[in-house]
Amino acid sequence: MSRYKEIMARKNEIMKKSLGIDYERFESGGIAFDYERMMKETGYTLEEIIKIQREANVGDTPLIELKNLTELARKVSPTGKAARIFIKDEACNPSGSFKERRASVSIYHAKQKGYKGVIAATSGNYGAAVASQAAMKGLKCIVVQEAYDSRGIGQPEILEKGRKCETFGAEVVQLTVGPELFYVNLMLLEETGYFNASLYTPFGVAGIETLGYEIAQQVKEKTGKFPDVVVTTHAGGGNLTGTARGLIKAGAAYTKVYGASVDLTGLHMASDKDFNRKSFTTGHTGFGIPFATWPDRADVPRNAARPLRYMDGYYLVKQGEVFYMTELLAQLEGLERGPAGNTSLAAAFSLAQQMENDQIIVVQETEYTGAGKNPTAQLTFAMQNGINILVGNPDDEIPGQNIILPEHPSMIKAREVNLSNLKKSYIKNCVQHFEIIPKDKDIKFLAEDTKSSEEFVKEVISELQNGGLV
Amino acid sequence: MAQKGDWVKIKQVILEPEERAENIPQDTKETPLTMWVKGLLLEDGEIGDTVKIKTFTGRIVEGVLVEVNPRHIHDFGNPISELIKAGMKAREILYGGEENE
């Protein structure tokens, strides 16, 4: 049996030892599992998390009103009106992104359980967050990154994140393209016995609840009411899940939570050739769609990130629009932030124009910027990889071929994704994976996990049966 | 010549093409899964030699020596005039162009 198959065969055993969570306790034997009990019993309370994060210099970041961008939105808005746009400056966390909220709880947990080190398989900001928190807690750290194509050419954004992890004293294992990143992660977990700081554990995702909670409190303090809309960048689903849960815990039950992803339709995430023909390595449809329609693809048996359970809307923006908004954030608001963190800002700029002047829309993150993680670095790299940089209508952008900067701010659009289609495909995936026709307990679970109704779930199931799909 | 104790970068093939996972695109399947990692060299060596290093976590890893004092090559790239002009135009729309200067 090949090395690859041999290690993968021991996956559950390695995962259990490196996570210290018995997921079986929450299973029902069918599609349903006890999500809330899992979050409660293996997680920490909101108060405990706030304490953990304050002691680690995490969270309590500024909420900034983008007055000039709000004014610009009103000037270009078809109605002449636009909601007040606020932005939560998560770049102020020690390692420069909201991911540190997740890492702070995970690394606190690892230390409590006596692990000597932590490992995270991520090419995103989560790596530096884990490395920073591990350094704070005196734990060793390995970050495993998918960083290079087979020519040995690295994505600038990822090279910068690798450098930052190294700066915090983490061992950075960099790989060429491929899903076997998970195989290398398992080998390292087995070799070192370190804690698996997976993005998708209950306490990892719960770390983001303080973000939603702070937004609700800060907006109430500044304006006397809760926000009408919070837009969160959507990739693996933990960001949206945690933010929504935090808003609910703060009492902001009517605040709409929208996901926003960069549209990379047509590029294959595991293709060696496509790897360097994209300018966004996170917060894009390559993760956003598959993690919404099958969250349990994650490295843990049951993903604590359940985006469809909380998503009130899902919108796509183009790469050119996000680079454009990053430039405007700097030239109009004097804030220089990394491009990947402005995916929600691009969507919010458009969504605000469908709202009233006294309403409030919050962009839920920013990320740090630097060499590599910057529009000029990414666009220069795109050109070197044969991508045309144009000015025109972003609707014409073709990922992997060109990047189109909007000719006029009014061209920025938040393109709505049909959520019920995503919900249908998630239900279909569950029925096909578990190979059972859902009855009452599973139907109730699916209704909750898709923020829909039992009627909707039953309708989808009969559609599947009539279509011979199950 | 790299000396014992130098900070270096090594390379190692983790999976040959035929050992790779099944469900991956063909273009990826034709390439070896390759790893790079940095650490302190445990004995003198030349670029291209198989050497051992000690990483930040104290792991001993073997691989082909590819670079001594591995440089960070990512930078801010070239200025993008289309982006600069886009910002200027947005300011014009917001503040009403030259007459308002």
Side-chain angles (χ1 to χ4, degrees):
Chain A
M1 190 201 284
S2 79
R3 296 185 281 178
Y4 178 75
K5 289 201 175 74
E6 192 222 311
I7 291 272
M8 294 306 272
R10 292 206 304 276
K11 168 191 161 192
N12 290 340
E13 177 207 325
I14 297 170
M15 287 303 286
K16 194 164 185 184
K17 204 162 131 285
S18 64
L19 282 169
I21 298 176
D22 171 14
Y23 281 89
E24 287 310 314
R25 295 197 281 130
F26 309 108
E27 288 298 341
S28 69
I31 291 173
F33 75 101
D34 198 335
Y35 175 65
E36 286 302 342
R37 191 158 59 84
M38 178 181 85
M39 290 302 281
K40 206 152 68 60
E41 282 178 18
T42 56
Y44 294 80
T45 66
L46 187 68
E47 291 64 33
E48 282 168 333
I49 290 174
I50 290 170
K51 192 167 163 300
I52 290 168
Q53 291 182 340
R54 286 302 169 279
E55 275 158 21
N57 319 315
V58 169
D60 201 13
T61 53
L63 183 77
I64 297 165
E65 182 165 8
L66 300 177
K67 295 196 167 90
N68 296 336
L69 281 177
T70 300
E71 197 43 45
L72 181 67
R74 287 171 180 166
K75 283 218 146 112
V76 305
S77 163
T79 62
K81 290 185 276 185
R84 294 165 68 184
I85 304 171
F86 286 76
I87 198 162
K88 184 72 164 149
D89 203 8
E90 287 294 290
C92 296
N93 284 300
S95 64
S97 83
F98 73 89
K99 287 284 172 45
E100 201 143 14
R101 289 180 189 261
R102 251 166 151 151
S104 57
V105 185
S106 239
I107 307 321
Y108 173 89
H109 185 76
K111 178 96 178 173
Q112 289 299 103
K113 298 286 179 187
Y115 287 89
K116 293 286 165 278
V118 295
I119 298 183
T122 170
S123 314
N125 288 326
Y126 187 59
V130 167
S132 162
Q133 288 296 310
M136 261 184 233
K137 295 280 192 303
L139 294 182
K140 291 188 174 176
C141 178
I142 299 178
V143 175
V144 187
Q145 292 189 318
E146 184 185 43
Y148 296 94
D149 65 19
S150 58
R151 301 170 297 168
I153 295 184
Q155 250 280 350
E157 226 183 21
I158 297 178
L159 298 183
E160 163 51 21
K161 287 181 252 190
R163 179 206 61 80
K164 199 167 180 87
C165 294
E166 214 171 83
T167 301
F168 295 130
E171 173 184 336
V172 183
V173 172
Q174 296 189 310
L175 301 170
T176 49
V177 182
E180 302 99 327
L181 167 88
F182 181 55
Y183 158 71
V184 174
N185 193 41
L186 285 173
M187 274 203 299
L188 289 168
L189 285 168
E190 194 168 61
E191 178 189 334
T192 62
Y194 285 178
F195 176 74
N196 177 3
S198 160
L199 276 158
Y200 301 114
T201 56
F203 35 78
V205 170
I208 304 286
E209 290 179 11
T210 51
L211 181 45
Y213 193 79
E214 283 172 27
I215 286 171
Q217 287 188 320
Q218 287 171 307
V219 171
K220 187 102 194 251
E221 220 174 89
K222 283 181 192 260
T223 69
K225 57 178 183 164
F226 289 129
D228 298 277
V229 169
V230 172
V231 190
T232 79
T233 304
H234 173 55
N239 191 22
L240 190 136
T241 300
T243 300
R245 287 175 65 87
L247 284 164
I248 292 163
K249 288 185 176 179
Y254 302 106
T255 298
K256 292 267 178 286
V257 178
Y258 294 156
S261 296
V262 176
D263 184 4
L264 292 187
T265 311
L267 290 180
H268 194 298
M269 288 307 114
S271 153
D272 183 58
K273 283 199 186 58
D274 286 354
F275 183 70
N276 279 323
R277 288 175 42 223
K278 59 177 184 283
S279 296
F280 285 80
T281 61
T282 183
H284 54 65
T285 47
F287 299 133
I289 306 271
F291 269 97
T293 57
W294 185 247
D296 294 321
R297 70 180 56 249
D299 57 350
V300 294
R302 282 297 192 170
N303 192 344
R306 319 292 301 179
L308 289 183
R309 185 176 275 253
Y310 296 101
M311 218 181 236
D312 295 310
Y314 183 27
Y315 298 88
L316 303 187
V317 290
K318 303 293 184 176
Q319 297 180 97
E321 289 171 329
V322 181
F323 284 130
Y324 179 87
M325 282 315 290
T326 302
E327 183 74 14
L328 264 51
L329 189 61
Q331 281 210 39
L332 266 59
E333 296 285 354
L335 277 173
E336 192 194 16
R337 294 292 180 266
N342 298 325
T343 301
S344 301
L345 175 59
F349 183 78
S350 168
L351 291 165
Q353 295 170 42
Q354 299 160 20
M355 297 166 71
E356 297 302 320
N357 283 359
D358 62 359
Q359 288 189 297
I360 290 153
I361 186 166
V362 179
V363 175
Q364 167 262 11
E365 65 152 326
T366 62
E367 60 157 17
Y368 85 100
T369 191
K373 256 164 91 64
N374 182 289
T376 48
Q378 290 288 71
L379 288 169
T380 302
F381 182 75
M383 280 187 257
Q384 287 161 352
N385 281 277
I387 310 293
N388 296 321
I389 310 302
L390 309 170
V391 177
N393 184 345
D395 281 335
D396 305 332
E397 183 171 293
I398 302 166
Q401 286 182 30
N402 55 39
I403 290 175
I404 301 180
L405 304 173
E407 206 167 352
H408 189 274
S410 59
M411 287 182 159
I412 295 176
K413 285 202 205 81
R415 296 158 189 81
E416 186 154 17
V417 174
N418 183 319
L419 259 189
S420 70
N421 284 351
L422 292 189
K423 294 177 183 190
K424 282 180 189 162
S425 93
Y426 169 58
I427 292 167
K428 187 191 79 184
N429 288 336
C430 286
V431 172
Q432 289 178 343
H433 177 82
F434 289 93
E435 289 170 354
I436 48 173
I437 300 301
K439 290 287 173 284
D440 34 50
K441 188 164 39 61
D442 288 338
I443 288 173
K444 186 170 173 301
F445 168 78
L446 286 170
E448 283 161 12
D449 226 28
T450 56
K451 199 168 186 174
S452 62
S453 63
E454 296 195 23
E455 291 68 40
F456 174 81
V457 175
K458 286 178 191 152
E459 230 176 77
V460 171
I461 291 164
S462 56
E463 256 174 54
L464 291 171
Q465 283 171 318
N466 301 343
L469 281 163
V470 283
Chain B
M1 168 58 109
Q3 274 148 4
K4 184 175 177 211
D6 283 353
W7 177 254
V8 300
K9 187 174 188 179
I10 62 169
K11 178 179 170 179
Q12 186 194 101
V13 171
I14 301 285
L15 294 170
E16 295 296 345
E18 60 278 6
E19 292 179 298
R20 298 206 62 167
E22 263 78 42
N23 51 4
I24 58 175
Q26 196 48 34
D27 65 333
T28 307
K29 211 168 205 180
E30 285 152 10
T31 68
L33 182 72
T34 308
M35 175 192 81
W36 289 267
V37 69
K38 297 176 194 174
L40 301 174
L41 196 52
L42 291 181
E43 73 265 336
D44 294 359
E46 299 282 348
I47 299 287
D49 288 356
T50 297
V51 295
K52 285 201 174 77
I53 64 167
K54 188 172 177 193
T55 71
F56 259 129
T57 60
R59 273 185 344 117
I60 309 299
V61 187
E62 190 175 273
V64 174
L65 181 60
V66 290
E67 196 177 350
V68 183
N69 291 324
R71 185 180 165 73
H72 291 297
I73 51 120
H74 59 289
D75 57 21
F76 282 88
N78 305 320
I80 308 291
S81 62
E82 295 88 345
L83 210 48
I84 293 169
K85 286 181 224 161
M88 288 177 179
K89 186 171 179 181
R91 281 185 180 203
E92 249 171 61
I93 295 168
L94 184 59
Y95 299 117
E98 277 77 23
E99 329 79 49
N100 290 40
E101 256 139 49

